[in-house]
Amino acid sequence: MAVCVAVIGKDNSPLYIGGIGNDSGSDNELSRQWLVHTALDALEERLTTTGNGAAGANANAARTDMRDLYLGLLYSTDTHKIYGYVTNTRIKLVLVTHSTSPSGSNIRDAEVRAALRRLHALYADAVCNPFHLPGDPINSQKFDKQVKNLMLNNV
Amino acid sequence: MKGVDNSPADREGMTNKPIITCAGDWNLFCTLEAPLVAAIPQDSCEWRRSYGRPPKSVYLEASFVKYNKDKVVAEQNLLKRPIFHIYWTDCVDIEYYKTTLREDVETWLKQLEKNGITDWMIVLVETYDIRKTNKLLPRTTVLDKIKGDFAVKQTEDRFLSVINPIKSEARSAESWRALVAKIRHFVLVAYNKALIKFEEHMREQREKRNDPEWDFCKYFILQEQLAFVLEMLGLYEEALVQYDELDALFSQFVLNSNVTESPKWLDTFRQPVTSWQAVRLTALVPQSLRDLIIKKKASLLDFRSYLFQRQSAMLLLMFKPWEIASLCLSTVQNTLVELSLLNVSVVEGAAACWAQLACAETLRACERLAASNNAMEMCTATQAPLLHNAKDKLHELGKLCGLLPGSPDPTSEQLHLVVMLSAGMGDSEPNNQQPTPTDRLKEALCSKTSFQQYYLELAELAMGTYKHIGRLRFARLIGRDLAAFYSELGETGKAVVFLMDALRSYEEQGWKDLAAQTRLELVAAAKKMNDVDRYTKLSATIACTAELEILVRNFYFEEMMNSIRVDLKDKTESVLTELNDCFKIISATLVPSERGVYITDNKIQCCLLIESHFSKEVNCTRAAISIEPCKEEKQDKRTPVKSYKTDLNVNGSVSTQTNLQRKTSDVSTDSDVSNLISSIRLDDLKPKNPLLNPLQITSKLLYKEDKSLQKATIECQNPKVTLKRSDSSKYRKPSATTRNNFLTSLVLENVVLKPGLNELKLEYTANQCGTFKLGQVSLLVEGKLEFLSNALIGTKVGFEVVTQGVNVYLNKVEPKKDLIAGLEHAMELVITSGSAQLKENTSILLKTSAGLLIRFAEDDTAMTRELTIPVPPSKPFETTKVPLRLFASLQPKREKSIEHTVWLNCPWWDNATEVPLHFSPPMSLSWRLLTSHARKFIHATLRSAAPHFIQFALTEPTLQCDGNNQVADLNPKGASDMMVASDGTTASFMWELLKDPLVKAEPMKATFSVQYRLVDSEEPARTFSCTFDIQDYTTLFVIRTKLEPSKGSDFCRASQVCCLQLSVQRVNETEYTSLMYEVLADQTMWAVLGRTAGVITMEPNCTEPQNVTLDVMPLVAGYLPLPTVRLSKYIAANTKDPKKDISAHPRLEPFSPGQVYHAGKAKQVHVLAPIPKDHLDPTMI
């Protein structure tokens, strides 16, 4: 269901972007990158509004619990929905799904939350590699495989 | 909000009021209706609800109808059925009650009861009678009677009496208030019951939703009733919940229809869409749409429009326009999905039309509401996505209808489509001054220009709004769309601005794919604009972008080469671009100079390691690194004309340079040079990744009291360090490519840069000295495209160039010995040309200080104090030596060292250079005056003072005295082998002073001279002479001492008193008559008994000796030297001589050594050991 998953570093540069699905038309990897990139705006907005505790336009979407790393739906387009998650070290995880699943069932928030949590765990595993330099893009094939798997199965 | 109040009465929804029926005296009620209708909404009433729902404060309204027993039947329609029933009466007569009223009330109640209605009230309207007040209250009132007849426990409070406010307003207020409050209360109670019942029914209905016969439209209308009621009660939030539930239910059905068998009713929404009118965001119920739903003729768009309008109506009533905006967006997006899920046949573009209109309408509504509610800020945040969406939809429409710039004129099909779409939009609402979104969209679809205008307006507004709310990335995304649009319009310049902005941000944040994509767009724009420079630059960058396909890269590589060859051919100046895009500087290392330092006119080499990202080889016409002088205040001092290099390996060196200047130069360069490094790797420049620092974590074990481990923890000592955020927008702005001054630069020409690592050796011939650092790296490719780095490596890498200009040294020749005056020394003038070339006919003028002479070593010219030395022409780094001979003449003064100076006047130096020279004298003379009674001898001793071993052969010693004094030479004649050497060998000479005793001895000058030459040299002998003064050399007194045994003894024995005979005799005339003698006896040998000193006076004319006898006792036996006697001039106190001291004390003044002759000085006396026996043998030796 998820078509794209991105790990974005503290400085908002992409550490990992992985996508699956057809590479045709508007659904190619590049267009997903635009989605992920713009999602950062919404994500940062979310972080600052929750940080200030200001209930603004996103009052209903505001995180009730500051400790909840899952940020929920960041924004949606006609075709995609973009969810966000931020770790305590400000590593941003972004998950892009189709607006509807091919099976028709609506994407449940809980599923996305679970997927992002799992992605967080995968990321943590990946950066635990002593040869990985924090802040560098993740090139681990294993991570890539696991993330692709996650995208296919879980959501 | 408009239209809320003046809505037509026949509409359902907002216009509804709770219906209250009135039975009994209708006429009576009619008088009360107006105040009652007015009074009910005046105050709120707390609505306590069952099922633990929170109580709400509710403002009620009411409409009253006459009771009609046929209409009492409890309809399921919540709105149309009466909710509360009141029986009005003003009966005060109990009798009348009993006869008539009672029956009427009973029938009314029975009817209600039959219909299961428990929400009623009986009101007795009393007329307040002043006269009555004084009377006793009647025992039972009519109300009591009614209560008695009908009331049960639960209904007791449903009976109320009220004083007619029409007749006596003042008195009625309280009872009236009570009535109104009761009515409010009971109405709410009634509603509570009704709603509970209704909700139950509704739930039942909903449970049947999987029934094939179940109809969503019916259910929708049913549940909407609840929403209406809640809305009526002012509970908009809960009304919204109803709509949201319906929304969710519908969405779920649609989604499920894809998987499971779709219910029959859903086909209603599959009907072709024929109308895509704009939603109207008012609080009104869009009745026409509702009717369509009821008639099951609503299309999906109709239904969605209706639902959205109702939802936003609730939000409008709650004054939450910003939520309308987000709702609009999700509705639009959902609807589009649903359209496709349900396979609704719809005219292409209709959905986009609808969506665009929905967004535009929402924006309009939000603006309207926000302007009046100061909610602008809240709205803006949500407006941006709406604008974005509206813009996107408009673009979609434009594409469909062939309105985009750059597209061919619309085909007839497209024109037809426009007509279709416009028709489907319907008419806009009348009585509007401003064009509605519908009008605008229609207009936009009519022509390209109006489309453009509308599109640009929306896009700019969306971008501006995004920027305003801080969503810069969204703004840039729109910027890209705009760029594409402008590019199609032909205004590529505008497009480039947007693209550049986007590109910069992508690059800054490391979104390489996006940056690469943007570059591709930019390069296309550049091509369009015929901006050759930019096109070439971008082609180069794209050719180096690793993220892109190799085919694309190769294509642009060829494009780059092509445009360099063709388009830039005629350009004189090169095109500047960023180096980092295409190359990576790995390291820059200065090759150390062979001479240790970099010397002017010498090559400086720098090894530059560069990684080329090009996929193919490129020809680098010129690689260069600019060289910048280090700017410091001391610069003037550090660019000296001459260098201060010294020949340091000479011990006790003779340096040609002024020491003072050298020191300053050393200091100034030291501080600077220490900052410079000769090699740098670019990776070293990166700040250290703070994440790589070890965490300050310590482990800690906590023990319980019984020493068992409670827990083990790790603690981070300084969490601030590790948790420090550093991503707060410190993006470097890429510095603009400014070209440094490459006039002085390390250069390498014509080198082929292979893909990957390249090692370049750049060279520079330094022509200026000073401290320099490396600045910018420039790679000129194909002679036209110049890649410039930002001055990354310039901060630290540098070198110091010194001029080894012409250096002139005055050196001693081997073996290097100290200079000795009075000898000729071989020296040489060394001229090292350094990096300079010495021209012909240059000469150095040497000047010496007085007493120092100089000549060329080769020819035997006379020695001079000035010597002009011609310097032969020489190439750089050649050394010319001119042998010289130096001679420092001996000074008559007897100094330990002789200082001389040589001034070197060179044509290339402004000032003469001082060379201090240090000479030591060859030998030194010491002399003594020796006396034998009245005869005088002069003893002269020569010793060598040279610090190194040197031997002189001495001949012809002479001593000459002035005046009449003669000397007799006592030295051996013809002694040619007299030698003086610095190993301590001395030479002594002796002369007797022949003096006429009759002549008064005046002080005299004596001059000693001797011929000397170095033992092994063939040089002619030179004269060493020395003068000295001799004074007071005449012997005035002779002292004799004699020791005699005491009387009766023959020998001197230890411990026996002896007699010391002291005689002082004047031998020459003298003015000193008063003398003091002192016996200075060695106290270990002699003990002087009595006085040891005394004053004697010599008669001026008497030459007889004066005798003094002293008693002394030898203390030890043996040959004892006689005690010495010192004779001094005794100057008594109050002497007449005024020149002398006028002190009251007498003084002593010593005689010169030659004036007193001590005849018994070397005498010894034999003292025998003491013998106790009586005979003594005095023995004199």
Side-chain angles (χ1 to χ4, degrees), chain B residues 25 138 166 246 269 279 360 377 596 616 684 737 834 882 1015 1032:
Chain B
D25 194 341
I166 310 297
L246 286 166
F269 298 105
V279 292
E377 274 307 307
K616 294 179 180 175
D684 301 341
T737 351
V882 181
V1015 167
D1032 298 333

Side-chain angles (χ1 to χ4, degrees), chain B residues 752-803:
Chain B
V752 172
L753 294 176
K754 296 187 295 282
L757 276 185
N758 291 276
E759 191 178 323
L760 313 179
K761 216 161 219 165
L762 282 67
E763 286 182 349
Y764 166 62
T765 308
N767 51 14
Q768 209 183 352
C769 52
T771 310
F772 299 92
K773 57 181 186 175
L774 298 189
Q776 202 175 28
V777 176
S778 147
L779 295 174
L780 185 65
V781 168
E782 297 289 339
K784 288 298 172 197
L785 191 58
E786 185 165 3
F787 294 91
L788 291 172
S789 76
N790 32 21
L792 269 180
I793 56 174
T795 46
K796 280 179 180 172
V797 185
F799 52 88
E800 193 195 0
V801 177
V802 291
T803 303

Side-chain angles (χ1 to χ4, degrees), chain B residues 502-741:
Chain B
L503 175 64
R504 201 165 52 234
S505 81
Y506 298 145
E507 275 184 338
E508 274 169 6
Q509 299 189 7
W511 291 79
K512 288 179 183 161
D513 288 332
L514 302 188
Q517 185 60 31
T518 312
R519 270 204 196 91
L520 286 175
E521 284 160 30
L522 264 174
V523 83
K527 178 110 188 163
K528 218 175 228 174
M529 286 168 80
N530 208 20
D531 186 344
V532 183
D533 288 11
R534 197 192 289 271
Y535 184 72
T536 317
K537 284 198 262 185
L538 282 166
S539 297
T541 313
I542 291 167
C544 293
T545 309
E547 282 77 19
L548 292 172
E549 298 272 331
I550 192 70
L551 285 176
V552 178
R553 290 174 60 184
N554 285 346
F555 172 76
Y556 278 103
F557 182 80
E558 293 307 325
E559 284 290 295
M560 174 189 84
M561 299 305 272
N562 200 36
S563 78
I564 287 174
R565 278 186 214 115
V566 179
D567 301 318
L568 295 176
K569 204 170 80 184
D570 304 328
K571 274 209 165 186
T572 48
E573 286 185 2
S574 55
V575 177
L576 308 180
T577 185
E578 282 270 334
L579 179 115
N580 292 351
D581 292 340
C582 304
F583 298 97
K584 188 180 170 195
I585 302 169
I586 304 292
S587 69
T589 313
L590 285 164
V591 180
S593 158
E594 294 160 15
R595 289 168 206 276
V597 285
Y598 299 104
I599 298 164
T600 46
D601 298 320
N602 236 17
K603 269 177 189 166
I604 296 171
Q605 286 189 319
C606 180
C607 186
L608 185 68
L609 209 55
I610 255 187
E611 192 180 332
S612 168
H613 295 315
F614 281 109
S615 51
K616 294 179 180 175
E617 287 183 352
V618 285
N619 183 23
C620 179
T621 325
R622 193 200 63 212
I625 304 176
S626 74
I627 295 168
E628 297 159 3
C630 280
K631 284 170 200 134
E632 265 180 56
E633 309 97 70
K634 293 181 188 168
Q635 203 177 12
D636 50 341
K637 282 188 180 172
R638 253 183 304 99
T639 49
V641 190
K642 50 196 166 182
S643 109
Y644 304 105
K645 188 81 181 76
T646 323
D647 196 357
L648 284 172
N649 54 7
V650 180
N651 51 348
S653 79
V654 182
S655 79
T656 56
Q657 284 84 25
T658 53
N659 284 328
L660 183 78
Q661 266 182 319
R662 201 182 78 221
K663 267 175 199 157
T664 55
S665 78
D666 280 352
V667 167
S668 62
T669 46
D670 272 357
S671 63
D672 211 47
V673 167
S674 62
N675 293 334
L676 293 172
I677 50 172
S678 64
S679 164
I680 193 158
R681 288 174 57 79
L682 211 63
D683 292 340
D684 301 341
L685 285 178
K686 283 182 189 162
K688 207 180 165 198
N689 189 344
L691 291 172
L692 293 181
N693 289 336
L695 285 176
Q696 300 286 316
I697 281 181
T698 50
S699 63
K700 220 169 203 183
L701 301 174
L702 297 172
Y703 295 96
K704 283 192 240 169
E705 270 182 29
D706 58 353
K707 299 277 167 40
S708 65
L709 188 67
Q710 186 189 17
K711 57 181 172 183
T713 58
I714 52 166
E715 289 178 359
C716 184
Q717 294 293 336
N718 193 356
K720 270 181 196 165
V721 171
T722 52
L723 296 181
K724 193 170 60 184
R725 282 194 64 181
S726 61
D727 59 343
S728 46
S729 69
K730 38 143 203 200
Y731 303 120
R732 284 175 290 112
K733 281 215 165 174
S735 57
T737 351
T738 47
R739 195 172 190 274
N740 279 10
N741 187 359

Side-chain angles (χ1 to χ4, degrees), chain B residues 225-270:
Chain B
Q225 280 182 37
L226 182 59
F228 280 144
V229 170
L230 291 167
E231 183 192 354
M232 183 176 78
L233 295 176
L235 301 174
Y236 306 118
E237 218 162 302
E238 289 179 29
L240 181 63
V241 170
Q242 304 307 318
Y243 283 113
D244 287 347
E245 275 179 16
L246 286 166
D247 188 350
L249 188 64
F250 183 76
S251 303
Q252 199 57 51
F253 269 117
V254 175
L255 286 173
N256 289 346
S257 73
N258 222 13
V259 218
T260 57
E261 204 184 326
S262 82
K264 229 199 301 176
W265 58 265
L266 206 54
D267 294 338
T268 317
F269 298 105
R270 288 207 171 97

Side-chain angles (χ1 to χ4, degrees), chain A residues 10 12-13 33 41 76 78, chain B residues 333 393 473 509 511 513:
Chain A
K10 272 203 294 195
N12 287 339
S13 64
Q33 281 208 28
D41 262 344
S76 58
D78 289 351
Chain B
Q333 283 166 356
K393 295 298 170 206
R473 294 181 184 87
Q509 299 189 7
W511 291 79
D513 288 332

Side-chain angles (χ1 to χ4, degrees), chain B residues 201-358:
Chain B
H201 173 69
M202 206 174 77
R203 213 170 296 124
E204 253 169 50
Q205 290 296 311
R206 195 165 55 215
E207 289 312 310
K208 290 181 196 157
R209 65 180 178 274
N210 290 329
D211 226 40
E213 292 308 311
W214 190 79
D215 189 350
F216 177 79
C217 294
K218 264 190 193 163
Y219 179 75
F220 180 84
I221 297 299
L222 180 73
Q223 188 165 0
E224 198 190 15
Q225 280 182 37
L226 182 59
F228 280 144
V229 170
L230 291 167
E231 183 192 354
M232 183 176 78
L233 295 176
L235 301 174
Y236 306 118
E237 218 162 302
E238 289 179 29
L240 181 63
V241 170
Q242 304 307 318
Y243 283 113
D244 287 347
E245 275 179 16
L246 286 166
D247 188 350
L249 188 64
F250 183 76
S251 303
Q252 199 57 51
F253 269 117
V254 175
L255 286 173
N256 289 346
S257 73
N258 222 13
V259 218
T260 57
E261 204 184 326
S262 82
K264 229 199 301 176
W265 58 265
L266 206 54
D267 294 338
T268 317
F269 298 105
R270 288 207 171 97
Q271 60 185 294
V273 176
T274 51
S275 155
W276 36 91
Q277 283 194 358
V279 292
R280 293 197 182 141
L281 298 182
T282 62
L284 291 178
V285 180
Q287 207 58 43
S288 55
L289 290 176
R290 188 161 191 266
D291 289 342
L292 283 175
I293 295 170
I294 294 169
K295 288 175 199 154
K296 302 183 188 178
K297 280 184 179 163
S299 66
L300 182 71
L301 281 187
D302 294 332
F303 173 71
R304 276 292 174 190
S305 291
Y306 178 75
L307 192 57
F308 174 58
Q309 285 182 50
R310 289 303 297 150
Q311 284 170 320
S312 42
M314 294 305 116
L315 290 168
L316 279 173
L317 290 168
M318 285 191 276
F319 302 113
K320 287 182 177 170
W322 52 89
E323 288 196 20
I324 301 179
S326 53
L327 179 69
C328 170
L329 214 57
S330 63
T331 301
V332 165
Q333 283 166 356
N334 281 344
T335 309
L336 294 181
V337 171
E338 281 165 6
L339 276 175
S340 68
L341 281 177
L342 291 177
N343 274 327
V344 178
S345 80
V346 58
V347 179
E348 210 182 354
C353 259
W354 181 79
Q356 205 277 339
L357 288 174

